[in-house]
Amino acid sequence: MATHAAHDAGHAAHDHGHDDHHELGFWKQYVFSTDHKVIGIQYAVTGLLFLLLGFGLMLAMRWQLAHPGAPIPYFGKILASLPVIGQHFPNGAMSADGYNEFGAMHGTIMVFFGIVPVAFAALGNFAVPLQIGAPDMTFPRINMASYWTFFISCVIMLGSFFVPGGAAKSGWTSYPPLAGIADLGPGNHPFFNGQTLWLTGMVFNITASLLGSVNFIATIIQLRAPGMTWMKMPFFVWTQFITAILLLLAFPPLEAAGIFQFMDRVFGSSFFMPTGLVVNQQLTQWSGGGSPLLWQHLFWFLAHPEVYVLILPGIGVIAEVVANNTRKPIYGYKVMVGAIFALAFLSFIVWAHHMYMTGMGAKVAAFFQTTTIMISVPSVILITALMLSLWGGSIRFTVPMLFATAFMPMFGIGGLTGIPLAFNAVDLYLHDTYYIIGHFHYIVAPGTIFAIFAGVYYWYPKATGRQMNEFLGRVHFWASLITINGIFFPMFLQGMAGVHRRWYDGGGASLDQLTYKLAGPVLHWNQFMSTSAFLLGLAQIPFIINFFWSIRNGQKVGRNPWDATTLEWDAPSPPPHGNFDKHIEVFHGPYEYSVPGAAKDFTPQSEPVETSAATRPVSPAPAH
Amino acid sequence: MQIPHEVTARPDTGLYNSKLGIWLFLASEVMLFGGLFSGYIFLRMGAEPGYWPHGLLNVPVGTMNTAVLIVSSVTVVMAWAALKMRQFLQYKMYMLITIICGIIFLGVKLSYEYPQKFDHFGAFIRKDSLSKYEAYLGNEFLKSKNLDPRVEISGHLLDAPKGSPYEAVAKKNAEHFKHMLHEEGIGGGHGDGHGAQVQVQTEATDDYVIQLDPANARPTDPANEAPSFLPKKQTMMTAVVKAADVENASMFVPRHSPYFAIYFTITGLHGLHVLGGVLVFIYFWGPGSKLYQRNPEHLANRVEVAGLFWHFVDLVWIFVFPLFYLL
């Protein structure tokens, strides 16, 4: 940001695109690039690979749940032959440690290394500067630092699978005192062990998201093109703005907690270690006096806003896709913007609803269940507005639109099943059952991940200049929609019968105990769910083929293949470094579709409305 | 390609980019230190009576460091103002003072305050053995005054049980102690005039010998409960503590207690922030100051942004100082 600073760039109208005709080398152009689009694609590829890895971990676990103790076909041999990981897979069957390891890393990878990087960092990096008419992010070099810090965290997390003892096994929530003592026994390195590396990786991951979120907020505030006032911003930009604020403010307390736990493990302090902690019938070496509950407070102070970090970019993508494919403005734009502000604020005061079981007291629980119920109001506003946007539209069922339409009921199921959980009394029964797993997976899997797919299909032509294959896209969509419900819907049935999320044998052994007898009639669903999961994996193959095949062989497209109105479609496909090859000015709101009296059914933000404001009818004019 | 508003403010927001960026960064820093301080509150409120130590830090030194940081916060503004008035030499001078203040702060922390803690030793006595050490703890007296009990015997370790990780430290301290006795010409058995016994090492293999802190040497002295500005002198009195009576013993390091855990974590992270600030200032003072020739306003902006960060670091210390040194 410093090199050519003498040249005053303070004018609102600036021209660019003609002072960087020199070619950058391969490394600067594709690897250590400061271009927001390249960084976005780097985040997308890394994040999608992690989604696949996280999914693979889950497939191994689902095999174990359906066929406890049986060797995993084909992949079991590969797992057993890997260094360190193989120890947890004797003869290719999953051990309890292996289940814990894969479970903890599935959660961590999906949330922090898959969905947030793709939904926020990748789609946001790619689309936000384009949508507001900016040449790049405000701090391009910090943007690059963000990706490479993230990359280091990825290396640490992946590396932790191969240190003695294997990766973290204490759940993605890393609750102490378990997480404080795990991986510290004989045979483990004092620093290079799963849980300590998990903490180190998380600190890097948090730093990366901090750098990214500062950049997003500063870009949206500072680099909006002339005429792009706040209420003319596409809804996707709004969701990214709010998401960035959540990340900026919610992640640091987890960083603090991560540092505390790191101190506990490496320097033997007692932030989270209670007095008189006994492990294996021996008093531990910690001085005690700490509080395990403190971790839970700090963790969930992040991890609840994190839920909205996961879903808000998804809702933003869906709003873009819905407006574009219904050929009409989204319903209640202003209310939706208000709703995400309310959502962001409330998301900071609901965290302890994850902690009803800790015995923190009925009064505290009453407060948090009230705020939790309150937060359902803006969520329902958002989903209702999206649904109403469909009303009266002439819907084009393109692939992104298929994913967007499926998103709504899926997110609806996920959201509505969350309402009972908000109540302390109900949650005490459902806590840690498959009902919870079903609930939040409906939000993030057929919710956010479908939105991610919608976004990828929607912006792919902008990123590559080519369209993805429609037929493969439809196969991908229908197969994914059916199988993903096959995985998650039975979880509600199992959960209500009391199947616990941590039974690594699928519940079979626990049935001997009287308490668990209720779960018996629903355990047969395990086979069905695991088969669905496997089929869901197969359903991703058309997408993977499509993704790579279309880079070279997709149908070539121009600037605006979707006939969309927002600014990114004014740039060439793919956009050059610096984005726009013409002066960008914004004249009206983001979703001016089917404007009565206009020549075509979409009016880009950069084009003045052809009919003058005075003669433009307010409501659809009768034909005459 | 040129990013707009790098140096001059965007008219409708009134900010140039990096100024907005640093405010956002500081917002997240507030949340980070907020998380750390909430840990302090949580641990302190949850501490059992007697387990949250008081008066272990050196208040005059801390006060001096506070003053040093405040001075540096003023001079960094002066440096910025000098740039705004295009007085380059004055900028260099004020920036140099700022850097020196930062280095003094870090130097005091690393060469004096931390090592002094690492030298110190404390043994928490098991609850069922507290009465055996009444002479050093004074719990009857404290109870009569409605004060929290005293459960720790602290000071300099002169002898440690065989096989304990503190043997080496004890040996070093014992040597040092003998040397000191010789120099000051104090005969064993006289101590500091309170008739205390000086015992350097015991025959037994499972005893801690601790040269006592004043609070343990004179447990019923009301001065222990009063806040004191100057640190109290180390006494010449020793106590022998049986290893079997000790619940948990360690040097004053993070594993000693939640108090030292949070003390070292917060001051350590704060120290890293000071270090980062100093490095940035050194760059702006040295090679980075060449920017003045090309665009003095840009350099002024950079100093302003780094100065905002520096004020924040200063502000964190303003919370650290009372929480750890005074309360």
Side-chain angles (χ1 to χ4, degrees), chain B:
Chain B
M1 182 189 58
Q2 178 70 39
I3 305 290
H5 317 302
E6 269 186 350
V7 181
T8 48
R10 181 182 161 113
D12 59 347
T13 62
L15 295 163
Y16 54 89
N17 293 342
S18 48
K19 193 163 177 178
L20 177 63
I22 197 74
W23 277 114
L24 292 170
F25 174 70
L26 292 183
S28 94
E29 289 277 77
V30 167
M31 295 305 288
L32 173 66
F33 279 96
L36 295 169
F37 282 123
S38 71
Y40 171 94
I41 294 167
F42 214 93
L43 292 173
R44 181 164 181 167
M45 282 174 61
E48 281 183 68
Y51 280 84
W52 195 266
H54 297 272
L56 293 181
L57 300 177
N58 193 321
V59 179
V61 172
T63 312
M64 189 203 78
N65 257 350
T66 311
V68 164
L69 271 194
I70 290 173
V71 168
S72 74
S73 251
V74 174
T75 55
V76 79
V77 175
M78 305 288 271
W80 171 70
L83 275 182
K84 278 293 205 190
M85 293 184 286
R86 304 289 185 262
Q87 294 164 334
F88 188 65
L89 287 178
Q90 290 213 14
Y91 157 72
K92 284 279 232 185
M93 181 188 74
Y94 283 123
M95 198 45 120
L96 186 64
I97 298 174
T98 313
I99 293 167
I100 291 170
C101 285
I103 291 174
I104 291 175
F105 180 88
L106 284 177
V108 169
K109 266 255 158 289
L110 293 178
S111 69
Y112 179 72
E113 284 196 275
Y114 279 4
Q116 209 193 26
K117 291 293 152 291
F118 298 150
D119 274 358
H120 228 96
F121 181 84
F124 288 97
I125 307 297
R126 293 167 67 100
K127 289 207 177 67
D128 47 8
S129 305
L130 283 174
S131 55
K132 284 197 218 167
Y133 298 93
E134 178 61 21
Y136 310 118
L137 301 172
N139 279 330
E140 293 298 326
F141 167 77
L142 292 170
K143 202 172 173 187
S144 73
K145 293 271 177 190
N146 253 339
L147 293 166
D148 282 349
R150 191 175 282 125
V151 293
E152 187 188 15
I153 295 178
S154 64
H156 286 101
L157 191 62
L158 300 179
D159 193 15
K162 276 261 174 308
S164 110
Y166 306 111
E167 265 186 306
V169 183
K171 208 167 170 191
K172 200 189 91 198
N173 282 345
E175 287 302 317
H176 178 75
F177 186 71
K178 272 180 186 159
H179 177 70
M180 201 169 72
L181 282 179
H182 183 74
E183 265 195 357
E184 293 182 8
I186 305 170
H190 283 288
D192 55 355
H194 286 260
Q197 303 295 310
V198 175
Q199 187 177 12
V200 174
Q201 271 163 321
T202 59
E203 299 298 313
T205 53
D206 63 342
D207 290 345
Y208 290 102
V209 178
I210 302 169
Q211 184 197 356
L212 293 174
D213 280 344
N216 289 124
R218 297 180 293 275
T220 54
D221 186 347
N224 288 331
E225 312 308 326
S228 94
F229 182 69
L230 293 169
K232 289 167 192 148
K233 265 185 79 178
Q234 195 73 36
T235 64
M236 286 293 157
M237 200 173 151
T238 53
V240 177
V241 181
K242 291 256 175 270
D245 296 331
V246 171
E247 180 182 271
N248 171 47
S250 116
M251 309 306 288
F252 283 2
V253 292
R255 82 163 296 280
H256 170 270
S257 59
Y259 172 80
F260 275 112
I262 192 89
Y263 166 74
F264 281 111
T265 306
I266 290 188
T267 57
L269 277 174
H270 177 263
L272 282 178
H273 279 75
V274 174
L275 179 68
V278 166
L279 291 177
V280 167
F281 286 152
I282 288 176
Y283 174 73
F284 288 166
W285 182 76
S289 67
K290 284 182 197 143
L291 180 60
Y292 185 78
Q293 311 303 327
R294 284 184 285 122
N295 190 344
E297 190 61 20
H298 196 178
L299 182 62
N301 286 350
R302 286 182 160 195
V303 171
E304 185 184 12
V305 164
L308 283 170
F309 172 76
W310 193 251
H311 295 325
F312 173 78
V313 173
D314 192 3
L315 186 66
V316 169
W317 181 257
I318 298 299
F319 283 92
V320 169
F321 180 62
L323 283 182
F324 288 102
Y325 287 74
L326 303 181
L327 288 176

